[in-house]
Amino acid sequence: GESVGLHLPTLSVQEGDNSIINCAYSNSASDYFIWYKQESGKGPQFIIDIRSNMDKRQGQRVTVLLNKTVKHLSLQIAATQPGDSAVYFCAEKTGGYQKVTFGIGTKLQVIP
Amino acid sequence: EAGVAQSPRYKIIEKRQSVAFWCNPISGHATLYWYQQILGQGPKLLIQFQNNGVVDDSQLPKDRFSAERLKGVDSTLKIQPAKLEDSAVYLCASSAGTLGGEKLFFGSGTQLSVL
């Protein structure tokens, strides 16, 4: 969905704990979903993706879960590290020409 | 592999002036995107090119914004005249544009301040 507001939701996590970042997407026709990490002063960086014919995908320390019934996406980060502190965005791809729309973002703060 | 290149990195202008941003995508990437990111928000798509053709410009304020992608490679985004609310980071991204190649690669962006 489109971004709204100036105040990003913030998640504070103790170093070493697991983090779960949630995202509600807007279009039931979306067929591909991506999580991006954005550090201050940089462009978004790809983390992990998942297609709509899957409900779970794992990467290195990250797992994405997709629930199409309720249009919900989550990103799980295992053993969160200070370097994981950033803003995390989910994005959805819709349409044959691959329009990619970003969600509002969640700021992850890792407490040492 | 070289990433997406953008310039300038920062730009400060006064309202009603004009400004242009440049983007060089990853070599071979067919799809190029320009996003506007206002502080505290997610990127908002302004325009999307497939090779040198526009496939989506529904959110581009066409009375003041224009973009082109000559020869299907580099792209420029122009604002004329700029308004205060145009202050934002302008991000360029590219993707292979094929099934399995939908991942977007972003540049570092151009931070625009309109005074």
Side-chain angles (χ1 to χ4, degrees):
Chain A
E2 292 296 331
S3 302
V4 294
L6 292 176
H7 302 287
L8 288 170
T10 299
L11 175 66
S12 296
V13 175
Q14 204 75 34
E15 180 179 357
D17 287 352
N18 296 335
S19 303
I20 299 176
I21 300 171
N22 296 303
C23 173
Y25 64 91
S26 59
N27 194 329
S28 56
S30 294
D31 58 2
Y32 176 67
F33 304 88
I34 318 163
W35 279 100
Y36 283 92
K37 172 185 180 182
Q38 187 173 29
E39 297 173 287
S40 181
K42 297 183 179 180
Q45 179 185 9
F46 173 88
I47 303 173
I48 192 168
D49 56 2
I50 188 167
R51 296 197 179 279
S52 58
N53 60 354
M54 304 171 67
D55 53 21
K56 180 179 180 179
R57 190 166 189 216
Q58 289 184 291
Q60 187 178 14
R61 280 202 309 118
V62 294
T63 301
V64 55
L65 299 177
L66 174 64
N67 185 331
K68 295 182 288 295
T69 302
V70 294
K71 293 192 288 186
H72 183 268
L73 201 63
S74 68
L75 176 70
Q76 300 177 1
I77 305 174
T80 312
Q81 302 168 0
D84 295 327
S85 293
V87 177
Y88 289 80
F89 293 98
C90 66
E92 58 186 296
K93 181 182 80 70
T94 311
Y97 55 80
Q98 302 181 16
K99 178 176 181 176
V100 178
T101 305
F102 282 74
I104 64 172
T106 297
K107 183 176 181 179
L108 177 65
Q109 291 181 328
V110 181
I111 305 165
Chain B
E1 172 182 88
V4 176
Q6 288 189 248
S7 68
R9 188 74 179 87
Y10 303 95
K11 191 72 177 179
I12 300 174
I13 61 172
E14 294 187 348
K15 60 183 179 184
R16 290 188 289 275
Q17 286 187 323
S18 62
V19 64
F21 313 125
W22 174 82
C23 173
N24 180 236
I26 291 173
S27 178
H29 276 192
T31 308
L32 185 147
Y33 308 78
W34 281 102
Y35 284 87
Q36 179 194 59
Q37 187 173 26
I38 293 172
L39 185 65
Q41 298 183 18
K44 171 187 151 185
L45 180 67
L46 292 175
I47 189 167
Q48 179 179 343
F49 292 93
Q50 183 75 17
N51 296 308
N52 60 350
V54 175
V55 294
D56 191 319
D57 63 357
S58 57
Q59 297 191 93
L60 187 74
K62 298 180 187 65
D63 57 333
R64 299 184 300 107
F65 286 63
S66 64
E68 60 181 5
R69 189 182 185 196
L70 298 176
K71 300 180 182 178
V73 182
D74 292 5
S75 177
T76 56
L77 176 69
K78 297 179 181 178
I79 307 175
Q80 182 179 11
K83 292 185 175 181
L84 297 177
E85 59 261 35
D86 298 332
S87 294
V89 175
Y90 291 84
L91 294 162
C92 179
S94 70
S95 71
T98 59
L99 184 63
E102 300 98 329
K103 186 192 308 182
L104 270 65
F105 294 85
F106 282 85
S108 296
T110 296
Q111 186 171 327
L112 174 67
S113 296
V114 182
L115 306 178

